[in-house]
Amino acid sequence: MNTLAEENYLKAIYHLSLNDLNVSTNQIAAALCTKAASVTDMLKKLADKELINYERYQGVTLTAVGEKIALQIIRRHRLWEYFLVEKLNFKWDEVHEMAEELEHISSVELVDRLDKFMDYPKHDPHGDPIPDRDGNFKKHELIPVASLKLNEAGIISGVRDHSPGFLQYLDKQQLIIGKKIKITDIIAYDNSMILQVETIAIHISRDVAKNLLVAI
Ligand SMILES: [Zn+2]
């Protein structure tokens, strides 16, 4: 049994390790908004439990067991987000904080029934893949709208920025998961883009284009 704090560390290390093979104490401290000294204490604990490999000054990697646990937490988080949006009608910008709490309910039976109840969804409301009970999931190749060229099209399938402000902006513009978009103009001056979405044209900034992901 791991504590809530331990689970949050494993999850943070997993997410950080998607970008960097070895995760540093400072990166973890920044991700969890805590001091490097407290991170060091926790890393020692997790290493004693054989959930991470930790050599001072060399960074951290998850052990196979640590990764398995991290994926179960992520599975619970994303299933709860799906449930909150699909069954309780919360908006996609409202569910992350609630899922941060719900993800720590560890009953495997509860999570499996939740999964079955919703007919085994593959992606959460933000387009991120939901691992199955064995921790397997399909990585889908998503690319930012910013890397599409003129006249290229794609289907909105995820976001890089999960902040409520960004999600609310997308909602307002009707740029939501599943919508088909096509690039009809790229403004050379600032690299902003004009998208065709159904019958309307939407002008988006370079920042938005970088944080909105499509499948092509
Ligand atoms: Zn979330």
Side-chain angles (χ1 to χ4, degrees):
M1 198 56 195
N2 302 296
T3 66
L4 188 144
E6 287 168 355
E7 291 195 341
N8 284 338
Y9 269 77
L10 293 175
K11 193 175 61 156
I13 296 166
Y14 178 85
H15 286 308
L16 289 167
S17 68
L18 297 177
N19 296 323
D20 287 292
L21 229 42
N22 283 293
V23 178
S24 74
T25 308
N26 286 336
Q27 282 175 301
I28 300 169
L32 294 172
C33 302
T34 184
K35 287 182 301 232
S38 1
V39 174
T40 309
D41 287 345
M42 179 60 95
L43 293 182
K44 280 183 198 144
K45 262 192 224 165
L46 294 173
D48 285 344
K49 288 181 139 183
E50 295 183 355
L51 299 176
I52 61 167
N53 304 301
Y54 173 49
E55 294 287 344
R56 253 203 127 146
Y57 308 117
Q58 292 197 17
V60 179
T61 55
L62 292 173
T63 62
V65 178
E67 182 178 280
K68 215 174 154 192
I69 294 171
L71 283 166
Q72 287 311 309
I73 303 162
I74 290 165
R75 165 175 164 77
R76 300 194 298 246
H77 182 103
R78 292 180 179 167
L79 280 172
W80 282 118
E81 285 194 340
Y82 188 94
F83 175 78
L84 292 167
V85 169
E86 294 297 323
K87 303 292 177 190
L88 301 187
N89 299 319
F90 283 99
K91 301 187 117 200
W92 69 338
D93 58 281
E94 297 175 321
V95 295
H96 179 75
E97 289 308 318
M98 284 179 251
E100 286 286 284
E101 296 185 38
L102 291 164
E103 70 184 17
H104 299 292
I105 306 171
S106 64
S107 163
V108 175
E109 182 65 24
L110 170 66
V111 175
D112 285 349
R113 285 198 197 190
L114 181 66
D115 198 9
K116 187 177 172 206
F117 175 64
M118 300 184 298
D119 203 18
Y120 309 103
K122 295 276 174 283
H123 297 100
D124 77 10
H126 311 111
D128 293 314
I130 301 175
D132 68 14
R133 67 195 312 266
D134 301 317
N136 299 314
F137 61 92
K138 241 209 214 116
K139 277 196 199 104
H140 52 181
E141 292 300 324
L142 298 185
I143 60 165
V145 170
S147 55
L148 292 178
K149 297 189 182 70
L150 192 62
N151 291 321
E152 283 187 335
I155 295 178
I156 298 178
S157 304
V159 287
R160 195 170 266 167
D161 177 355
H162 289 74
S163 68
F166 185 60
L167 298 174
Q168 283 158 16
Y169 166 84
L170 294 178
D171 242 7
K172 226 179 188 168
Q173 302 282 346
Q174 286 294 301
L175 293 169
I176 49 181
I177 305 267
K179 281 264 168 101
K180 193 175 170 195
I181 58 133
K182 188 178 169 187
I183 310 295
T184 54
D185 202 1
I186 300 173
I187 318 293
Y189 173 66
D190 61 356
N191 279 319
S192 61
M193 294 172 136
I194 303 205
L195 315 177
Q196 187 72 32
V197 187
E198 289 163 356
T199 54
I200 47 170
I202 299 174
H203 187 182
I204 61 167
S205 71
R206 187 73 186 160
D207 266 355
V208 169
K210 278 186 188 164
N211 284 302
L212 186 60
L213 304 173
V214 288
I216 52 171

